[in-house]
Amino acid sequence: MKLEEVEAEDNVSTVVQFVLLGFSELPNLQGFLSGLFSIIYMVVLIGNSLIVIITRLDPALHKPMYSFLANFFILEICYVSVTLPRILFSLWTQDRSISPLSCATQLCFFLVLGTAESFLLALMSYDRFVAICNPLHYPLVMNPKKCHQLATGACLGGMPVQVGQTWQIFSLHFCHSNQINHFFCDIPPILKLACGDTSVHEVSVYVVVILVGAVPFMLILVSYSKIIGTILRLPTAQGRTTAFSTCSSHLLVVVLFFGSASITYFRPTSSHSAGTDKLLSLFYTIVTPMFNPVIYSLRNQDVVAALRRLWLQT
């Protein structure tokens, strides 16, 4: 038995290159996918940048809520840029190889930015909670200095945890294959390539997801339960409509982001299928960031008014 263990250990080879299989199972659609993802990337860059620009230029949007919103859309641009350019590179060149260092770097940035978005969404819900439930204290609680500190903490707070998790995952030995059946380096498909029992690592992933995903989501739910109760007690229909319009867009973004991500990371690794993982990942890494500017443009009256003013000035 000891001899077999030694031989097994000796047979573990160090992976020099990973291969991101991506959409290689669709050889006849490579050109179509290349054009589609190029258009999506341009839409993401233009749509999210437009929201950032109007929050900076329009004095009516110089409020803590829209400062957080601008930070969120900057994160969205960075978040999509971690994965989509790599997808386009693979489609354009058909070179799907990626070094372990590049793979680890991509995963680390993906996790750090995803955590920052999670914390920032929770912070935005807290902002709405204070504004609607405690309006008299809002200028004191959400002053510019405090907002800057909170936004910085949200963006950087998860970095040590996710850097540590990335290091832990890539300290594993990989012996099953070097082919990652995904379009970017994500935790579930990478763990499938690891030698031996990865249950301890799976548990650590669940713990981290609970800390950076489930806890902020629960705080958002608590905030919005109190917000909805306060809105329903407002005396005028106009007040209720205005309050709902500023909150509904944020709540819809929260559901889209946390819903698809939680399905991906809370399932046991053994139950993951490559097709389902790719579909879910496409949804929360690319599709949701593409539609978020549209959601805020259509559901938020202040943003709609600012876009209208910007259009009339041009």
Side-chain angles (χ1 to χ4, degrees):
M1 180 62 112
K2 289 184 179 179
L3 180 60
E4 289 177 359
E5 288 178 354
V6 171
E7 287 177 352
E9 292 176 2
D10 290 341
N11 286 333
V12 174
S13 57
T14 301
V15 173
V16 178
Q17 292 280 345
F18 286 114
V19 177
L20 287 168
L21 295 181
F23 304 98
S24 57
E25 73 276 14
L26 303 171
N28 297 327
L29 296 177
Q30 298 296 293
F32 170 76
L33 291 173
S34 176
L36 177 63
F37 285 129
S38 297
I39 293 171
I40 289 175
Y41 193 37
M42 292 301 296
V43 170
V44 169
L45 293 178
I46 294 171
N48 287 274
S49 297
L50 181 60
I51 299 295
V52 173
I53 290 169
I54 64 169
T55 58
R56 295 288 188 259
L57 295 181
D58 197 307
L61 300 183
H62 291 174
K63 303 173 183 177
M65 173 185 175
Y66 297 107
S67 175
F68 294 142
L69 187 64
N71 286 324
F72 178 75
F73 281 115
I74 291 171
L75 283 175
E76 288 278 68
I77 293 172
C78 297
Y79 185 64
V80 174
S81 297
V82 170
T83 57
L84 200 42
R86 175 67 220 194
I87 296 173
L88 292 172
F89 175 80
S90 297
L91 290 170
W92 289 340
T93 66
Q94 295 300 303
D95 179 7
R96 298 185 175 89
S97 62
I98 184 170
S99 69
L101 178 59
S102 297
C103 191
T105 302
Q106 184 186 50
L107 176 62
C108 186
F109 274 102
F110 175 76
L111 295 176
V112 168
L113 290 169
T115 301
E117 287 198 5
S118 175
F119 288 169
L120 196 56
L121 285 170
L123 181 56
M124 290 165 70
S125 70
Y126 174 70
D127 171 79
R128 290 298 82 203
F129 166 74
V130 178
I132 294 173
C133 300
N134 298 287
L136 296 178
H137 295 91
Y138 185 74
L140 179 63
V141 175
M142 304 303 289
N143 61 71
K145 181 179 180 181
K146 179 68 70 65
C147 290
H148 179 73
Q149 292 173 341
L150 289 172
T152 302
C155 293
L156 301 179
M159 188 176 293
V161 174
Q162 298 297 13
V163 170
Q165 181 166 247
T166 303
W167 177 85
Q168 182 186 41
I169 290 171
F170 280 87
S171 65
L172 294 168
H173 292 291
F174 302 99
C175 58
H176 294 306
S177 172
N178 71 332
Q179 296 184 343
I180 300 174
N181 197 357
H182 213 311
F183 56 83
F184 74 101
C185 295
D186 199 7
I187 293 175
I190 292 175
L191 285 180
K192 284 185 177 181
L193 307 183
C195 307
D197 183 16
T198 60
S199 58
V200 174
H201 295 277
E202 288 182 43
V203 170
S204 71
V205 170
Y206 294 147
V207 170
V208 172
V209 170
I210 289 172
L211 290 175
V212 305
V215 171
F217 183 62
M218 293 304 296
L219 292 174
I220 291 170
L221 291 182
V222 171
S223 296
Y224 270 99
S225 66
K226 294 183 179 297
I227 288 171
I228 292 171
T230 301
I231 290 175
L232 293 176
R233 291 194 298 271
L234 291 176
T236 64
Q238 180 62 35
R240 290 193 293 271
T241 301
T242 302
F244 271 122
S245 71
T246 59
C247 295
S248 59
S249 53
H250 178 246
L251 194 56
L252 182 56
V253 170
V254 166
V255 171
L256 291 174
F257 178 79
F258 283 101
S260 54
S262 61
I263 293 172
T264 299
Y265 289 103
F266 276 123
R267 288 182 300 151
T269 303
S270 57
S271 68
H272 284 232
S273 67
T276 304
D277 284 351
K278 289 179 186 178
L279 184 62
L280 288 170
S281 297
L282 276 174
F283 194 76
Y284 69 82
T285 61
I286 297 173
V287 176
T288 301
M290 180 177 66
F291 282 109
N292 281 346
V294 178
I295 293 171
Y296 274 99
S297 298
L298 295 178
R299 298 295 302 170
N300 189 295
Q301 293 178 359
D302 291 340
V303 175
V304 171
L307 285 170
R308 189 178 295 115
R309 287 191 292 270
L310 182 64
W311 175 260
L312 292 175
Q313 290 174 3
T314 56

